[in-house]
Each structure stands twice: as C-alpha cells, then as structure tokens.
Amino acid sequence: MSSRLRSGQSFIAGSLIGILGGLIGLGGAEFRLPVLVGIFKLPTLEAIILNKAMSLVVVSAALVFRARQIPIDQQFANVDVTLNLLAGSLIGAWWAAGHAMTMSRVWLNRIIMTLLAGLSLVMLSEAWFDLHNGVTALVDAGLLRWIVGLIAGFGIGVVAALLGVAGGELLIPTIVLLYGLDIKLAGSLSLTVSLPTMIVGFARYTRSDAFAVLQHEQCLFRWMVVGSVLGAAAGGLLLGLIPMNLLMTLLGLILLISAVKTFQHAH
C-alpha cells in the first residue's frame, strides 16, 4: 500500500470515527482500535499505544471545545467526584498497562475482544433503557459512595489502559447514576478524569518496545488525529439529526461485530 493511499485511508477512517464519536459525545477510540488492527494491520499492543496517543490529543481538544458549554467553576464545584474516580482510575490504568506489556498476544486479544463486546453491550443498554436520564444518585454521599466510586474508577482505568480509550462510555453513566449529576456536566467531568488516567497509562507504556510504533507510524497517527478532530466537530454539528436511541443501537451492534471479527483472528 502506498504511503499516500494509506494517509488518505487514515484520514477518512479518522473522520468517520470522529463523526460517530461527536454524535454520541465520545472520542471514538472504541471504534478506532478495531480499525487499527483490522484495516491497518497493526499488532495489538502497538495499536493500543497508538490509540492511546490519539485519544490524548482528541480528549485534550474536546476539553477545550466543551469549556464554553460547561463553565470551569461548575466543574470545580464537583471536584470531589473527579478525585474519587481518579483515585481508582490512576491505579487501574497503571496496573493494567503493566500487565498488557507482559501478557501473551493471544490472551491480550481475548481480553480486548471481551472488553469491546462489553462496551457494545453498555451502549445497547443505554439505547434501550435510557440510563442517562436518571438524576437521583444511586448511593448517598458518604464512605460507601466513595468506596463504590473508587472501585468503579479502578475498573474504568483498567479498560482505558487496555483499549487505549478515554473511557467516557463508562465514565458518563457512572457519574450520572452514582452521583446523580446532569449528563452534560458528567461529559465534562469524564474528560477531566480521562486525561490524567490516559497520561498514566501512556507513561507506563513508554517502557515497552512497542512504544516505537509512534515513530514508525507518524503519518498514520497525524492523518487519523486530524480526521478524528475534524470529524468530532462535524459530529457535534450534526447532533440531533439522528434519534440517539437508534444511533446508539446501530453503533453498539457495529462495535460488537467488529470486536469479535477483528480480535478473534488477530495474532
């Protein structure tokens, strides 16, 4: 494949994924990982690291874009939620990234396939049961909520590190359901949790030989990031044109099928 063709494909793929992510308020990394492995034929660990680097750029851009919608003082007012989830997610990301580097590729593929399938089921559940509408906290403020938040954060950190994702698909419903916050505010808070969590996982991956993929795949990285950011902006503008329940159902099914097809045969 010529470098020009590959660059064009990476830009188109990044744009389409960015649009999908923008439509549902996510970075799209869940969809990017199967594309990196299935279409661009990257080994799984290299694909995770490249996806993580792309997610860092996309989430940083999303934080800037959302700053106008959710005032920074409103985010500071809920800093306890951010710190509660971060306390777990930072540990989870560090632990999972360390294990991913030493795990056999077969087992890594199996775990990633399971996690992506699980994320697709989360999307389908949100589409069918409208989990985002509840604004009453499941657990009252206190020690029990802090412990539940710590455990949830750890699990989200593990998923974020193993898939190279921001984790918004899990963070947003967790913040809405566990703490009873508005979904728009939850979206911004999820980004403030995601960014440090991804940086910790990314720092851990620097010890792996697979980290060299960032140097070898500079062109792929650059064009897919540009496409993802532009696509996310376009997806935000198209918001509301497609019923959210229908969109989430379709994307959940696409993710489920692509996860199974891609990582069942990856080596």
Side-chain angles (χ1 to χ4, degrees):
M1 186 186 299
S2 70
S3 60
R4 181 173 294 182
L5 176 60
R6 203 162 188 262
S7 298
Q9 286 184 336
S10 59
F11 177 77
I12 293 170
S15 299
L16 292 175
I17 292 167
I19 290 172
L20 294 178
L23 281 169
I24 58 177
L26 299 172
E30 297 86 351
F31 300 97
R32 201 160 49 230
L33 186 59
V35 168
L36 289 172
V37 174
I39 295 178
F40 294 101
K41 306 301 180 186
L42 293 183
T44 304
L45 186 58
E46 283 81 348
I48 292 171
I49 293 172
L50 197 64
N51 198 27
K52 176 73 75 177
M54 292 179 187
S55 295
L56 278 169
V57 177
V58 173
V59 167
S60 299
L63 268 172
V64 174
F65 293 152
R66 289 185 71 95
R68 295 180 180 178
Q69 296 180 7
I70 306 294
I72 196 72
D73 58 336
Q74 197 173 346
Q75 295 185 47
F76 274 120
N78 293 278
V79 70
D80 57 322
V81 173
T82 302
L83 293 176
N84 186 187
L85 291 169
L86 270 176
S89 67
L90 295 178
I91 298 171
W94 184 263
W95 178 83
H99 280 269
M101 291 187 292
T102 58
M103 195 181 300
S104 75
R105 295 303 170 96
V106 173
W107 270 105
L108 185 59
N109 288 331
R110 288 174 181 170
I111 291 172
I112 288 173
M113 182 175 68
T114 303
L115 291 177
L116 286 174
L119 281 181
S120 76
L121 294 179
V122 169
M123 293 178 69
L124 292 173
S125 298
E126 291 171 7
W128 297 338
F129 302 112
D130 212 10
L131 300 180
H132 283 165
N133 277 346
V135 290
T136 303
L138 288 179
V139 182
D140 293 332
L143 180 61
L144 179 59
R145 185 199 280 181
W146 189 86
I147 293 172
V148 173
L150 192 69
I151 295 170
F154 180 86
I156 291 166
V158 168
V159 173
L162 287 177
L163 300 184
V165 302
E169 184 55 38
L170 297 175
L171 275 169
I172 293 173
T174 296
I175 293 170
V176 170
L177 295 173
L178 182 58
Y179 303 97
L181 298 180
D182 172 73
I183 187 170
K184 288 185 178 179
L185 176 58
S188 291
L189 290 178
S190 75
L191 293 174
T192 62
V193 175
S194 294
L195 197 56
T197 302
M198 287 193 297
I199 290 172
V200 165
F202 194 67
R204 184 76 153 147
Y205 280 128
T206 57
R207 301 181 180 184
S208 170
D209 292 339
F211 199 77
V213 69
L214 292 177
Q215 183 176 358
H216 300 151
E217 297 290 353
Q218 288 183 29
C219 198
L220 173 61
F221 173 83
R222 183 166 54 248
W223 283 106
M224 192 167 273
V225 164
V226 171
S228 295
V229 173
L230 293 177
L237 295 174
L238 295 172
L239 194 62
L241 294 181
I242 304 174
M244 186 58 71
N245 287 357
L246 174 61
L247 183 66
M248 293 283 280
T249 299
L250 290 174
L251 294 184
L253 290 173
I254 290 171
L255 183 58
L256 180 61
I257 294 168
S258 65
V260 173
K261 287 184 66 175
T262 302
F263 291 96
Q264 193 175 32
H265 304 293
H267 52 77

